[in-house]
Amino acid sequence: MNPEEGRSRQSCDACRSRKVRCARENSDDPKQSCKHCITLGVPCTYEYQPKKRGPPNLYLRRLQEAAAAAAKLPEAAVDSELSVSPVSTSQSVVSPSLGPKSPFSETPINTSPTMSIPSIAISPSRYPIAADSFHAHYSSTNGNTISSPPFTNDLSHSPKAEENSAFPGSDSFNTYPLYNWSYKQHHSPSTIPPLSYYYRPHRLEEIAPRDTIYLIIALFFDFVYPLTPCVHKPSFMADLHARREERDPLFFALVMSTVASTLVQVPRSYLPMERPVVHKLAQTCHEASRHISVASYDPPTSMHVVIRYLYVSSQHFLTPNSKQDSDCVYHFCEGHDATQHAAFGEAAHIAVTLRMHEEASYDGLDPIECEVRRRIFWLLFGADKSMSILLGRPICLRDEDCSVHFPKELDDEYITPSAYLPQPHGKTALVSGLNYTSRIFALLGEILVRIRVDKRSPPQGQFATARLEEVQSLHQRILGALSLAPEPLRLKPVLSHSHLPPEYGGAGFRKATFDEVKDFFDNPNASRANALNPFLVMQANLYVTQQLVRFVIEQYRDELLLSLQGSLDDQKMAEDREAVASELLNILHSIPIQSIATNGPSLVHKVRFVASTLLDAVKKAEIAPASAARAHAYLWDFLSILSEIERNYLLDDDRDGTSSGDGMPMIG
């Protein structure tokens, strides 16, 4: 076709691209421009060439061939199929995901319920599609193809369950997905119950004797609650004694999560049962709680958030790991267990759905509900920052998005459904520990946001100088974060970091401390006074976390100084690192080892994070004073003791013996 013929039969290129009608005043004049091109002032060209026709649709052709072959089956085969696999006349062989407008509905396929589709070999297409390889996943050991699971109205019918069932040899189906959606009544549905089955009243005795549950709950309030005050003790215990779990399935799930969390976070000597029994009971409680909470997400409540948070706080103790280090027992080491992080995601998103991060959402709530929401939100806030720094994850709960106030510093007995009662003068509330920890984590969030923004777009010139001023301000704030803490939370005076006594290290110190740890975990008659002092336990968490954040801020401050000045004072940097190591040592030596052990593996990992980074800095420094090397050696000795504490929280007896008292810590 020459260009003149093309002009008379097609639109110009401009009109074609705009999808408008091409209009010329004189269609017989091949050189005249169309009206639109004249108006737009563009050349009126006819250079478009129709594309070559593509290959035929082999997908539909195969379907048509299969239907044609099926239509030629003898009537006897039809009768035989009816006797084996009757199907409902109300069912049509159409994919539920395609709907009535599916392109398959226009294909001449006989969808009669009395029609059986035979197995027909399909040759590989020149243009393969994903469905062509569908049958490869269901091949049997003898090389014959087993049909895919039939689509049924039972949503719990799984391919794996169907694969394990025995299909009669004469009852074969085509391996193409369309023909696997046949409804077969002679196959019994899966025995997996619906979610509604689990959301029903339960009795505690279905899990363990009631007295045993009460003992574990008492241990929760003694050892776990000071660091995670996520329930209101008076109302929780009143509901427990009133057997609320027998009327409210979600409360039963809360009790189960509390029990499971306690079993994996208290010293084993406090539990009158063997570790395999503890592990089994904890796992049973997890599963019971999970089944119920999943079945009751709508409407979401604060209880859902507490349940998922408790699940996060204990799941890592129950998850086996093939590695020989101790990374399966603490929360934030290497993140191999996705289950606990998925649970944290659920808890955080339910909290945001309930708008726990907004102070305005608390209007109209009773005092107990208000305080439970505030507490669980700030616990999630701290866990979010811990995962962010120790695992390098994005921050989920940003400080600038949160307007919620800190929990009121009142003990639970002074919070009633109708009013806040005054806290007695001179009595420090347990929740004050959470509030000071949250302030420290808020500072960590501020520095992490700046570090990550600057990593994407490094500040230059005056912007780098301004950033350095901000970081130095954060450094001053973290150093003074605990200066106004109430007396029970204040650390007793520590030695100057310029003088570390010899008793901070050495074989004698290690042996004596290892003996204390062993006695604490193995001897039911050992003194529990220090472990039962909630403020000593909170001191360990507060001051170690403060040093962690301080260390992160100082590291970034040095990076900014290096970018501005081009070099750093190695002597000054070594002194700063020595100060962190020495103060961390002083903190650990100022708090009874039983109180440190009660904090569990999460505290161990914070110390390990700082110690390992400090050791790297000392090795790289050209000028390192002998005092710095001694401080790091002492800190590393103490870390071996912490690793022994960490090992004692394992519920797997086969993993015992991976640590010893020879001063060689288990490191990842």
Side-chain angles (χ1 to χ4, degrees):
M1 182 175 65
N2 59 47
E4 285 73 15
E5 291 176 343
R7 286 174 175 263
S8 62
R9 296 186 183 182
Q10 66 182 22
S11 298
C12 70
D13 296 337
C15 292
R16 178 182 293 279
S17 64
R18 297 174 60 215
K19 293 182 172 54
V20 297
R21 184 175 179 180
C22 187
R24 285 183 288 145
E25 292 184 358
N26 185 3
S27 59
D28 295 331
D29 183 0
K31 296 183 179 180
Q32 184 184 28
S33 297
C34 74
K35 294 180 179 180
H36 296 299
C37 290
I38 294 172
T39 303
L40 296 172
V42 297
C44 190
T45 60
Y46 291 82
E47 297 174 354
Y48 171 78
Q49 292 294 332
K51 292 183 179 179
K52 200 173 180 181
R53 189 181 182 91
N57 192 329
L58 300 181
Y59 178 69
L60 290 178
R61 178 180 293 180
R62 287 197 296 272
L63 295 181
Q64 292 166 350
E65 291 173 354
K72 295 178 181 178
L73 284 177
E75 190 67 21
V78 176
D79 295 338
S80 174
E81 178 65 22
L82 276 174
S83 66
V84 176
S85 178
V87 292
S88 170
T89 57
S90 64
Q91 296 288 333
S92 61
V93 190
V94 178
S95 165
S97 64
L98 294 174
K101 296 298 183 180
S102 168
F104 297 119
S105 62
E106 299 176 3
T107 306
I109 298 176
N110 191 342
T111 59
S112 169
T114 62
M115 184 59 62
S116 173
I117 308 299
S119 267
I120 299 174
I122 300 174
S123 60
S125 169
R126 179 183 174 190
Y127 303 96
I129 57 175
D132 284 337
S133 59
F134 184 80
H135 62 281
H137 303 291
Y138 295 94
S139 57
S140 63
T141 55
N142 60 7
N144 295 331
T145 300
I146 298 176
S147 66
S148 301
F151 175 78
T152 69
N153 287 336
D154 185 1
L155 296 179
S156 64
H157 205 65
S158 68
K160 185 173 182 180
E162 191 65 28
E163 181 178 318
N164 294 333
S165 63
F167 287 89
S170 60
D171 189 19
S172 60
F173 285 81
N174 189 290
T175 56
Y176 210 80
L178 180 66
Y179 302 105
N180 298 324
W181 294 325
S182 174
Y183 185 79
K184 299 170 65 180
Q185 291 181 346
H186 70 279
H187 284 298
S188 60
S190 171
T191 57
I192 299 176
L195 287 177
S196 57
Y197 169 81
Y198 298 104
Y199 193 74
R200 56 187 175 85
H202 294 269
R203 299 173 65 246
L204 294 182
E205 290 79 3
E206 297 173 20
I207 305 298
R210 199 171 190 88
D211 289 344
T212 302
I213 299 292
Y214 280 5
L215 168 64
I216 297 170
I217 294 296
L219 290 174
F220 169 81
F221 285 109
D222 284 342
F223 293 99
V224 181
Y225 180 77
L227 294 174
T228 56
C230 54
V231 296
H232 181 255
K233 183 177 179 179
S235 58
F236 179 88
M237 294 305 299
D239 288 338
L240 193 62
H241 288 300
R243 298 177 179 258
R244 177 179 168 183
E245 74 282 353
E246 297 179 9
R247 305 181 303 276
D248 182 357
L250 197 57
F251 182 75
F252 176 80
L254 176 61
V255 175
M256 291 298 98
S257 288
T258 305
V259 169
S261 180
T262 306
L263 287 172
V264 298
Q265 294 188 77
V266 299
R268 63 191 183 197
S269 61
Y270 295 5
L271 295 166
M273 57 186 80
E274 296 298 321
R275 272 204 277 185
V277 178
V278 173
H279 186 280
K280 178 64 177 176
L281 178 57
Q283 195 65 48
T284 301
C285 292
H286 272 306
E287 292 170 358
S289 174
R290 181 64 172 157
H291 285 149
I292 292 174
S293 59
V294 167
S296 61
Y297 275 144
D298 291 314
T301 66
S302 59
M303 199 178 292
H304 284 98
V305 184
V306 175
I307 290 170
R308 302 312 295 144
Y309 178 80
L310 289 172
Y311 184 86
V312 173
S313 68
S314 57
Q315 177 62 23
H316 58 288
F317 293 92
L318 297 172
T319 305
N321 194 295
S322 61
K323 296 181 65 176
Q324 291 305 307
D325 62 339
S326 51
D327 63 356
C328 75
V329 299
Y330 46 79
H331 217 152
F332 310 118
C333 181
E334 294 184 23
H336 292 300
D337 181 19
T339 304
Q340 58 188 344
H341 299 296
F344 171 80
E346 286 185 44
H349 283 284
I350 296 172
V352 171
T353 299
L354 293 171
R355 312 195 79 78
M356 288 186 180
H357 59 296
E358 295 180 356
E359 182 61 31
S361 69
Y362 291 78
D363 293 342
L365 299 178
D366 69 74
I368 293 177
E369 179 68 10
C370 277
E371 295 314 302
V372 168
R373 289 193 179 204
R374 293 187 204 279
R375 293 176 184 183
I376 192 61
F377 176 81
W378 286 108
L379 286 169
L380 287 171
F381 184 89
D384 178 48
K385 304 307 171 291
S386 291
M387 286 191 288
S388 183
I389 183 60
L390 300 178
L391 294 178
R393 300 197 172 200
I395 297 175
C396 177
L397 302 171
R398 300 270 294 250
D399 185 57
E400 55 266 33
D401 294 328
C402 305
S403 60
V404 59
H405 299 163
F406 287 129
K408 291 186 181 299
E409 296 198 0
L410 296 173
D411 284 323
D412 285 354
E413 56 265 35
Y414 306 109
I415 305 171
T416 71
S418 57
Y420 293 104
L421 304 178
Q423 178 87 1
H425 180 70
K427 182 180 181 182
T428 302
L430 279 178
V431 76
S432 62
L434 171 62
N435 287 351
Y436 276 93
T437 306
S438 299
R439 289 184 176 95
I440 293 173
F441 278 124
L443 291 174
L444 177 59
E446 287 191 49
I447 188 64
L448 286 177
V449 167
R450 287 166 171 80
I451 290 173
R452 293 175 181 182
V453 168
D454 293 350
K455 184 177 180 180
R456 187 176 64 233
S457 179
Q460 303 292 332
Q462 61 181 359
F463 298 104
T465 303
R467 179 67 85 210
L468 178 61
E469 292 176 357
E470 292 178 8
V471 172
Q472 288 173 333
S473 174
L474 287 174
H475 187 255
Q476 293 301 316
R477 289 167 63 190
I478 191 61
L479 291 179
L482 298 176
S483 59
L484 298 178
E487 185 63 32
L489 288 177
R490 290 186 190 176
L491 201 65
K492 64 181 181 180
V494 296
L495 297 171
S496 169
H497 70 264
S498 61
H499 174 69
L500 291 177
E503 60 268 22
Y504 272 23
F509 166 75
R510 281 201 307 275
K511 185 179 184 307
T513 311
F514 267 104
D515 290 343
E516 281 190 74
V517 171
K518 181 176 175 56
D519 191 55
F520 177 69
F521 281 101
D522 296 342
N523 182 7
N525 299 318
S527 173
R528 302 183 181 182
N530 291 326
L532 288 172
N533 184 330
F535 294 103
L536 284 177
V537 175
M538 287 188 284
Q539 277 184 22
N541 183 48
L542 273 172
Y543 285 91
V544 169
T545 305
Q546 181 193 31
Q547 292 305 310
L548 169 67
V549 178
R550 169 192 174 178
F551 181 63
V552 172
I553 293 174
E554 289 183 358
Q555 274 190 310
Y556 192 58
R557 179 198 63 192
D558 291 344
E559 288 182 25
L560 288 171
L561 285 171
L562 181 61
S563 68
L564 285 169
Q565 300 174 1
S567 63
L568 287 174
D569 184 343
D570 290 339
Q571 181 72 28
K572 177 67 166 59
M573 189 170 66
E575 291 175 356
D576 289 342
R577 299 293 183 264
E578 180 190 355
V580 173
S582 300
E583 291 197 26
L584 194 53
L585 264 175
N586 279 326
I587 290 166
L588 294 173
H589 280 273
S590 300
I591 299 171
I593 194 66
Q594 295 89 348
S595 303
I596 293 173
T598 305
N599 276 269
S602 61
L603 185 79
V604 178
H605 189 55
K606 291 175 183 177
V607 177
R608 180 179 288 128
F609 177 86
V610 176
S612 59
T613 312
L614 284 173
L615 186 63
D616 289 341
V618 169
K619 287 180 178 179
K620 294 176 182 177
E622 296 180 359
I623 303 174
S627 57
R630 186 172 67 253
H632 297 141
Y634 287 174
L635 184 58
W636 211 247
D637 272 350
F638 205 98
L639 193 56
S640 68
I641 298 166
L642 296 181
S643 295
E644 178 67 12
I645 292 172
E646 184 179 58
R647 186 188 64 81
N648 275 279
Y649 279 95
L650 285 168
L651 292 182
D652 185 357
D653 283 313
D654 295 335
R655 304 265 317 264
D656 276 351
T658 54
S659 175
S660 65
D662 59 4
M664 295 300 293
M666 298 182 297
I667 57 174

